[in-house]
Amino acid sequence: MTEIEQLQARIDELEMKQAFQEQTIEELNQALTAQQFTVDKIQTQMKFMVGKVKGMEPSNMASESEETPPPHY
């Protein structure tokens, strides 16, 4: 192989690697975008659930410490 052929082979290899890296970066970007969408959706759902829990009325049942013991005690 001549020097020019070697240089051309190296250039071709670098171009292939660069194309693969561009594809990988695009795939990672798409995955990150999807994950961010999921995180945003979960945060919205959590805010809704926190609001629901805070808005719940306390139970009408007394706590164990407030209950009188059963008659067999």
Side-chain angles (χ1 to χ4, degrees), residues 5 18-20 28 31 44 57-59 64:
E5 289 173 337
Q18 190 260 341
F20 178 73
L28 289 171
T44 301
E57 293 183 18
S59 173
E64 285 186 36

Side-chain angles (χ1 to χ4, degrees), residues 9-45:
R10 289 178 66 193
I11 289 172
D12 291 343
E13 184 180 344
L14 288 172
E15 286 176 343
M16 286 190 303
K17 285 182 179 181
Q18 190 260 341
F20 178 73
Q21 287 175 347
E22 283 181 358
Q23 178 185 357
T24 302
I25 289 170
E26 181 58 33
E27 289 170 358
L28 289 171
N29 185 46
Q30 290 174 0
L32 184 60
T33 301
Q35 284 181 342
Q36 187 60 49
F37 176 77
T38 302
V39 167
D40 291 343
K41 184 177 175 182
I42 290 171
Q43 285 178 334
T44 301
Q45 290 172 343

